[in-house]
Structure formats: C-alpha cells, structure tokens
Amino acid sequence: MKKTSVFFLVLMVFLLTFPIVASADFGPKPSIEIIVKNPPQTEYYLDLLVDYSRDDSHENIHDKEIYSENMYNILENYNVDGWRPALVTGTKVPIFGKLTGVPDGKDMIHEFSYVGVPDKFKVIIVTSDGETIVSKNVVDRKAFNSTVYFDCETGDLVEKSMVKAYLLQFISTCGITLIIEGLILVLFGFNLKKNWKPFLYINLLTQVLLTLIVFGAMYTSGSFAAILTYIPFEIVILIIETTMFSRYLTQHSKSRRVAFSITANVLSFLLGMIVLRYFPDIL
C-alpha cells in the first residue's frame, strides 16, 4: 500500500505542476472528415464554405506560398450568397486543415479539426483548370466527429449516420478506457479475475452516459456546447465510478479502491486526450 500511496502522490504533484486539464485548449476537439467521391482527375483544392461575416476572422493558412496562386485566388475571391471559404478567408476561431487531400483508393480524404470547424457548411472545390464545384446542399453537422461524403458528379453532400458515428466513437473510447483502467487495476493489486464484472459493468455504464451526454449537447447546441459539456461531466463520471468502485470491488481497503478509481480516471482522461490531440486517426 505504501508504493500505491507514493504513486498517487506523484500523480497529484504532476497534475498540480502541469495543470493541463484546466487549460482552455485541452479536451476533445470536433472534426470533419470529407470523403470525396468521383474526385476531379486534375489537381484541386477543397475548402469548407461558411455563411457568417469574416470580420475579425482568425487566419488559418500561414503558408500560402505552397499553394497555386491562381487556384488560391479563386477560393479567396469566392463569395456567393454570403458563403465563403473557411480555411482561406478565416473563421471566428481557429480551424486546422489543408486544401489538398489524401488518396484513399478511388476516393480522396480531406480532414478539418479544432474548435473552428463549422456546425453548418457547404463544400467548394477549385481545380487546376479553373473549374469550381460547389455542393448543392448544406450540411447541419450533428456528430462531434463527423464524416461527410461529397460526390463531385452529383454535387450531393451527405453526413454519415449519427447512430453509426456515435457507436464507433463509443467503441473506440470505451476500448481505450478499459485497457488503461484495467492495467491500473492490476497495478493497484486487484485480481482482475475476481473483479472483472464490476469493473466492466461500471465502465460500460459511465461510458454510455458520457457518450449520450456529449451526443445530446452536440445534437441540440453544436460542437462548442459539446466541448463545454465534456470536461465537467468527466467530473461527474469520476464521482460515480469512485462511489461504485469503492462499494463493488471485492479486494483491499475502501481507501485503496478510491485511490484506484481517481488514478484510473485521471490517467485514462489524460492519455485519451493525448490520443485525441496527437493521434486522432486511432479513433
């Protein structure tokens, strides 16, 4: 138990020294993946179109020199019925992405992320021969991490099913949580064979609640509300799991069960955020 106490103390000192949980830039970030069907056979740039004023917009592209001046200028000067390119002309808050995509078989993949990704958008493509292709419809994004299909031939822009998107998100985040917290359970001296049922059931319960809460915030109020909801609700998850683990784990003292729960939740949250921030393709 002495080693456990030292480990827990070191963890708390680390968190106090590097208070990244409280950082406004910490936590999951919304994203949009555009899968282009029937892409142009020539070089092209793709951007998201937004319909709000560009006043006081944040500059998103700092390396204009790597792009074709002619194609870039076409995007920069595009403004039809108030719709303008997000990356090229700026957004209210930053957005990460590139005008070029990555081949995936016959399709092309374009990824946009960070807090500036719009909840409502269209898609524009400008080709090297001067052609401009704009989606016929607007997408009102419902998923926090959204996958959208754009068919260049028909002009249709369609978001992947929300149910499928959130099911995949639940499976990936729950899987990471179970692996991390399972290792910590063993490190704290608990027998996994004796405790797998409460460990699994409690984590499934809290992960379902977390997914539903984030989903509800995203569906009703957009990505910014989902971000604001996520971190405070993690505290609720911590309280629920600590209460239930202290009661239903079958070995060791109540204080060790509480220490395990707090450590497991903090570490799984931090490592999960590192994955989301630096290795988003894993999810």
Side-chain angles (χ1 to χ4, degrees), residues 128-157:
S128 58
D129 56 13
E131 182 183 9
T132 299
I133 305 170
V134 178
S135 62
K136 294 189 303 185
N137 57 300
V138 178
V139 163
D140 287 305
R141 185 166 61 93
K142 299 303 181 186
F144 190 77
N145 300 112
S146 177
T147 298
V148 179
Y149 297 92
F150 178 50
D151 191 323
C152 283
E153 291 186 354
T154 65
D156 293 328
L157 190 65

Side-chain angles (χ1 to χ4, degrees), residues 20 23-29 96 113-114 270-281 283:
I20 52 180
S23 169
D25 190 42
F26 198 74
K29 304 300 186 294
F96 298 155
S113 62
Y114 210 60
L270 293 180
L271 292 176
M273 293 308 96
I274 290 171
V275 170
L276 282 168
R277 182 167 184 174
Y278 296 106
F279 307 99
D281 291 341
L283 301 182

Side-chain angles (χ1 to χ4, degrees), residues 228-243:
L228 293 179
T229 301
Y230 180 84
I231 294 179
F233 195 72
E234 276 286 355
I235 298 174
V236 176
I237 295 296
L238 172 62
I239 294 171
I240 293 174
E241 289 199 355
T242 300
T243 302

Side-chain angles (χ1 to χ4, degrees), residues 7 32 43-44 86 90 105 108 130 169 220 248-250 259 262 265 280:
F7 173 75
I32 299 173
E43 181 185 8
Y44 74 88
M108 290 289 288
Q169 181 178 327
T220 58
Y248 293 109
L249 289 180
T250 60
I262 295 174
N265 273 274

Side-chain angles (χ1 to χ4, degrees), residues 1-13 184 187-188 259-260 263-264 267:
M1 187 63 190
K2 185 177 180 180
K3 291 182 178 180
T4 300
S5 300
V6 172
F7 173 75
F8 190 65
L9 178 60
V10 170
L11 176 65
M12 292 299 102
V13 171
I184 297 171
L187 289 175
F188 267 78
F260 153 71
T263 304
L267 285 181

